Amino acid sequence: MISAFQDPFLWAKTVWKNALITAALMTITTVVAFLYWFAAENSANTALFYVVALVLVARYTAGYLPGILASLISVGCVNYFFTAPAFSLDFTPSGYPVTFLVMLAISVAITTITTHIKEQALALAEHEKLLADAEKEKLKANLLRAISHDLRTPLTGIIGSSSSYLENGAHLSAQEKDALIRHISEDAQWLLHMVENLLSVTRIQNETSTVVCTPEPVEEVVGEAVSRLRKRYPDASIQVRVPDEFLMIPMDAVLIEQVIINLLENAVIHSHSTQPIRLNVTDNSHFVVFAIRDYGRGIEKDRLHTVFDAAPSSSSIDGRKGMGIGLSICKSIVLAHQGQIHACNREEGAEFSFCLPKKEEIHVSETDYSDY
């Protein structure tokens, strides 16, 4: 139990909670035992009700004292209410010391076991919290590193192009001016996309890393994401295939649209292929899979296991637009939805896929998804 010197308020709260639970369970048990006694006209089994009560007291209270008090109360109740002469205390009959010692031993044993289990559960929860905090700190560090790279490079491009236009505008041809303005526009669009990604992260609750999910139609979410991407890349060729049956799954539609847009945009920018990008939605028994497949050059093998870690890509041909922060945010969003995300190379090109559970209470594990 918590020491009064550590937190007197919490200690007092725990004492009152233990007292109320013990009193309530003893009262309920006595009432049930009376009902059984009147119905069966047999007091031999009433002690068993109190044994069950001892188990419940040990389960729902903290420390050894409530169990010991419950043992004393149980022995007293059995003696006073259900042993002849009724409604009188008489501990002289043989066997009562044994009854008391047995019930006390049961209480101590159960309390010891439950206390040990509670301590193990608390230690496991603390360990998981530390791991979660460490993962969050790692994610923050990776995000900062990716932001510093992915924001600095387009800003440098904007400054360089605008300076060239302002300083040498009189000596540039119309074609050269158009090229500089086009580069400025592309870099500005990239910065806008980065800001959208960062705003998406703020929609994920900081403490629990969960999102507020409501049932959304899969076809509409996919359609909106593709429509928004085509506004940025009018020439992008995307083939979409969704199941014929109507699918509604719990999600934050805005965040999932951002995931689909990020993955499609990566395929458009990095595949360097003229073949259409395929977006396939597959219905599974417990989850729905969204797969974005391109037919380009694929992902470098040494990046496959770190592609979602927010590390800036140094292999981008144009030197400006690495995969970077976008994929890391995709991972954060999908995990917050209790799903999984995966990247792999196919015989031709690469495939990014993620899955979302069809019910909020379901958590898709890596094993479940890998088996698929």
Side-chain angles (χ1 to χ4, degrees):
M1 190 176 292
I2 299 169
S3 171
F5 297 103
Q6 294 176 332
D7 192 336
F9 175 76
L10 188 57
W11 177 81
K13 181 180 178 181
T14 303
V15 170
W16 276 106
K17 180 182 176 182
N18 287 345
L20 290 173
I21 291 174
T22 303
L25 286 172
M26 289 294 101
T27 302
I28 293 171
T29 302
T30 302
V31 171
V32 172
F34 260 114
L35 294 175
Y36 171 79
W37 185 41
F38 281 120
E41 296 182 353
N42 181 8
S43 62
N45 294 326
T46 54
L48 297 178
F49 292 99
Y50 288 94
V51 173
V52 174
L54 292 179
V55 175
L56 296 176
V57 168
R59 168 63 179 83
Y60 292 106
T61 59
Y64 294 91
L65 184 58
I68 294 173
L69 289 176
S71 299
L72 295 172
I73 295 171
S74 298
V75 173
C77 287
V78 171
N79 184 286
Y80 186 79
F81 293 116
F82 306 109
T83 303
F87 301 101
S88 64
L89 289 174
D90 184 8
F91 292 100
T92 57
S94 61
Y96 261 101
V98 175
T99 302
F100 169 72
L101 290 175
V102 168
M103 297 192 77
L104 182 62
I106 292 173
S107 177
V108 171
I110 294 173
T111 303
T112 301
I113 294 171
T114 55
T115 300
H116 183 63
I117 292 174
K118 290 174 185 176
E119 290 175 351
Q120 285 185 326
L122 182 61
L124 181 60
E126 288 292 332
H127 180 66
E128 290 179 350
K129 185 177 183 297
L130 289 175
L131 289 178
D133 290 341
E135 185 65 25
K136 286 182 180 179
E137 291 301 319
K138 179 183 176 182
L139 177 60
K140 287 179 182 178
N142 287 338
L143 286 175
L144 287 174
R145 186 163 58 249
I147 289 170
S148 65
H149 176 275
D150 285 355
L151 294 185
R152 184 172 61 248
T153 47
L155 281 173
T156 302
I158 291 173
I159 294 171
S161 297
S162 59
S163 297
S164 297
Y165 190 93
L166 292 173
E167 294 172 4
N168 305 308
H171 308 289
L172 296 174
S173 66
Q175 186 177 4
E176 290 172 331
K177 289 179 180 179
D178 288 344
L180 288 175
I181 293 173
R182 185 170 59 254
H183 288 154
I184 292 173
S185 176
E186 289 175 355
D187 285 330
Q189 287 289 336
W190 182 255
L191 284 175
L192 177 61
H193 181 42
M194 291 293 298
V195 172
E196 289 176 352
N197 275 319
L198 292 174
L199 291 175
S200 295
V201 174
T202 64
R203 293 174 61 88
I204 302 176
Q205 299 175 15
N206 291 329
E207 295 298 325
T208 58
S209 294
T210 58
V211 293
V212 178
C213 296
T214 55
E216 299 285 351
V218 171
E219 187 172 0
E220 288 186 13
V221 173
V222 171
E224 180 64 22
V226 173
S227 176
R228 287 174 56 191
L229 182 86
R230 281 176 173 156
K231 290 179 181 178
R232 293 182 191 163
Y233 303 96
D235 298 330
S237 178
I238 303 171
Q239 296 179 351
V240 180
R241 187 179 68 183
V242 297
D244 294 333
E245 63 271 18
F246 183 71
L247 287 178
M248 291 274 287
I249 61 174
M251 68 172 83
D252 183 314
V254 175
L255 290 179
I256 297 304
E257 285 174 15
Q258 192 64 49
V259 172
I260 296 172
I261 290 170
N262 284 356
L263 296 179
L264 287 173
E265 185 174 45
N266 275 326
V268 170
I269 293 173
H270 298 288
S271 65
H272 301 282
S273 172
T274 58
Q275 295 189 54
I277 296 166
R278 297 184 184 274
L279 169 54
N280 295 330
V281 179
T282 307
D283 184 17
N284 189 269
S285 57
H286 299 296
F287 51 84
V288 175
V289 179
F290 301 75
I292 289 85
R293 168 81 185 276
D294 65 63
Y295 294 87
R297 60 183 185 177
I299 307 169
E300 295 179 5
K301 290 184 179 180
D302 58 349
R303 289 211 63 207
L304 270 177
H305 299 294
T306 60
V307 71
F308 295 106
D309 292 343
S313 173
S314 59
S315 60
S316 182
I317 289 180
D318 58 17
R320 295 181 294 134
K321 300 180 180 64
M323 296 182 187
I325 192 173
L327 292 180
S328 175
I329 290 173
C330 289
K331 179 180 179 180
S332 299
I333 292 173
V334 171
L335 292 181
H337 281 78
Q338 308 301 318
Q340 294 290 333
I341 191 166
H342 180 65
C344 65
N345 283 320
R346 296 299 185 186
E347 185 175 345
E348 184 179 1
E351 180 177 275
F352 286 84
S353 63
F354 67 95
C355 68
L356 300 178
K358 299 174 78 169
K359 295 182 180 179
E360 279 193 75
E361 61 270 18
I362 296 177
H363 172 77
V364 183
S365 67
E366 291 186 16
T367 304
D368 294 335
Y369 192 37
S370 62
D371 289 341
Y372 174 82

